[in-house]
Amino acid sequence: MEEIVPEYQKKLQSCLQRLKGKKQEAEELEIKVREEMSTWKIQIQNEIQNVQGKFTQLRQILDNEEIKELRKLKDELGVILKELAGSKNDLVQEKLLVSNLISDVERHLQGSTVELLQDVNVIMKRSETLALKKPKSFPKEQRRVFRAPDLREILHVFNELTDVQRYWVQVTLNSPKCANVVISPDQTQVRYASSDQGYNAYLNYNYETFGVLGSPVITSGRHYWEVDVSKKSAWILGVCGEKCENTMIVPSVFGN
């Protein structure tokens, strides 16, 4: 026993050191986990506040738009009722004139021969020239009717776009094959620099002559990038196959 005790003391001492190292490693990992938990809590809480803030803004926008639309309808109703009230007053006056004329005609018909013929031409002229003023009409077909956008569909499309933007890649443009195609110094913009205008610039060449390849090379997985074609009248945008092994952008021939 005296011979083997030192040997096992040494082994146990080494085992103790390893265990203490494992314990220290576990404590460090625990600290990292707590820190990561804290970081995630802060990040998610910030995102929760951001979502709540954005939806609060959306509600404010919707409330303001609702107020505007209701005000428009009330103003429209006020104009219509005012016009129709004026037409109603005109009709009341015209109805009174017609009633008086009817009374005069009935009195002449019920009177004597002399009374019948007295001022008969005046009464006839009055009845012939009497014309009712047509009230102003408001065609319902030509009215602007508010239609709310499908917010559910808009949010669905927006969420889909947000999901694919997770696969964002920074695409830069490689040197072009054609001298008339110019790449910006930061390799993010391309323009057609020839004086030729119109589609004739493309008719005599293969599209690939004007094509610009992008980097990085895409071989698998999901990738997302955006191309701004505003203020362009024509462009060709696509992805090359194995022959090119890259993205390709053909610049517009209309404008820089």
Side-chain angles (χ1 to χ4, degrees), residues 137-202:
S137 61
F138 297 89
K140 294 182 175 60
E141 295 79 8
Q142 299 177 3
R143 289 184 63 249
R144 173 190 173 275
V145 179
F146 173 75
R147 294 182 180 178
D150 189 349
L151 291 181
R152 190 181 301 275
E153 180 63 24
I154 293 174
L155 288 174
H156 175 70
V157 174
F158 181 77
N159 287 331
E160 285 187 339
L161 177 61
T162 303
D163 288 338
V164 299
Q165 285 178 336
R166 293 180 297 169
Y167 307 103
W168 183 285
V169 290
Q170 183 66 35
V171 175
T172 57
L173 303 176
N174 297 334
S175 300
K177 299 178 181 179
C178 179
N180 292 330
V181 177
V182 179
I183 303 296
S184 64
D186 61 359
Q187 295 183 288
T188 60
Q189 299 181 29
V190 57
R191 63 187 179 90
Y192 185 72
S194 175
S195 59
D196 295 335
Q197 296 295 326
Y199 289 101
N200 293 331
Y202 284 157

Side-chain angles (χ1 to χ4, degrees), residues 9-21:
Q9 283 180 336
K10 185 177 180 180
K11 289 182 178 180
L12 289 175
Q13 196 70 28
S14 176
C15 179
L16 179 62
Q17 293 298 325
R18 287 198 306 271
L19 292 175
K20 287 183 177 180

Side-chain angles (χ1 to χ4, degrees), residues 8-217:
Y8 278 95
Q9 283 180 336
K10 185 177 180 180
K11 289 182 178 180
L12 289 175
Q13 196 70 28
S14 176
C15 179
L16 179 62
Q17 293 298 325
R18 287 198 306 271
L19 292 175
K20 287 183 177 180
K22 293 291 185 181
K23 180 182 179 181
Q24 183 178 356
E25 182 181 357
E27 290 174 348
E28 292 175 353
L29 291 174
E30 184 181 4
I31 293 173
K32 288 183 178 180
V33 170
R34 286 200 301 265
E35 291 176 349
E36 187 172 3
M37 290 174 61
S38 177
T39 301
W40 274 108
K41 287 180 181 179
I42 294 173
Q43 180 175 340
I44 296 301
Q45 186 60 38
N46 290 336
E47 291 182 8
I48 289 174
Q49 294 176 356
N50 180 61
V51 170
Q52 291 174 336
K54 295 299 183 182
F55 274 94
T56 298
Q57 291 179 359
L58 287 175
R59 293 187 189 96
Q60 291 175 349
I61 292 173
L62 291 175
D63 290 341
N64 292 334
E65 291 299 319
E66 180 184 6
I67 293 172
K68 290 179 182 178
E69 292 298 327
L70 293 178
R71 185 182 298 116
K72 289 178 183 178
L73 289 173
K74 291 178 180 179
D75 293 343
E76 181 184 14
L77 179 60
V79 172
I80 293 174
L81 292 181
K82 182 178 180 180
E83 292 288 341
L84 293 178
S87 299
K88 180 182 177 181
N89 293 334
D90 293 339
L91 288 173
V92 170
Q93 296 296 327
E94 291 172 350
K95 181 180 177 182
L96 180 60
L97 292 175
V98 173
S99 298
N100 292 336
L101 185 55
I102 290 174
S103 298
D104 290 343
V105 172
E106 289 176 343
R107 187 174 62 253
H108 277 68
L109 289 173
Q110 295 171 2
S112 62
T113 302
V114 175
E115 290 175 339
L116 185 145
L117 295 175
Q118 185 178 5
D119 298 328
V120 66
N121 290 331
V122 176
I123 293 176
M124 293 295 295
K125 186 175 182 180
R126 285 171 57 195
S127 64
E128 292 172 356
T129 57
L130 180 64
L132 297 178
K133 182 180 179 181
K134 294 293 181 67
K136 184 176 181 180
S137 61
F138 297 89
K140 294 182 175 60
E141 295 79 8
Q142 299 177 3
R143 289 184 63 249
R144 173 190 173 275
V145 179
F146 173 75
R147 294 182 180 178
D150 189 349
L151 291 181
R152 190 181 301 275
E153 180 63 24
I154 293 174
L155 288 174
H156 175 70
V157 174
F158 181 77
N159 287 331
E160 285 187 339
L161 177 61
T162 303
D163 288 338
V164 299
Q165 285 178 336
R166 293 180 297 169
Y167 307 103
W168 183 285
V169 290
Q170 183 66 35
V171 175
T172 57
L173 303 176
N174 297 334
S175 300
K177 299 178 181 179
C178 179
N180 292 330
V181 177
V182 179
I183 303 296
S184 64
D186 61 359
Q187 295 183 288
T188 60
Q189 299 181 29
V190 57
R191 63 187 179 90
Y192 185 72
S194 175
S195 59
D196 295 335
Q197 296 295 326
Y199 289 101
N200 293 331
Y202 284 157
L203 293 180
N204 298 326
Y205 301 92
N206 189 302
Y207 288 125
E208 293 184 3
T209 303
F210 295 90
V212 177
L213 296 178
S215 294
V217 175

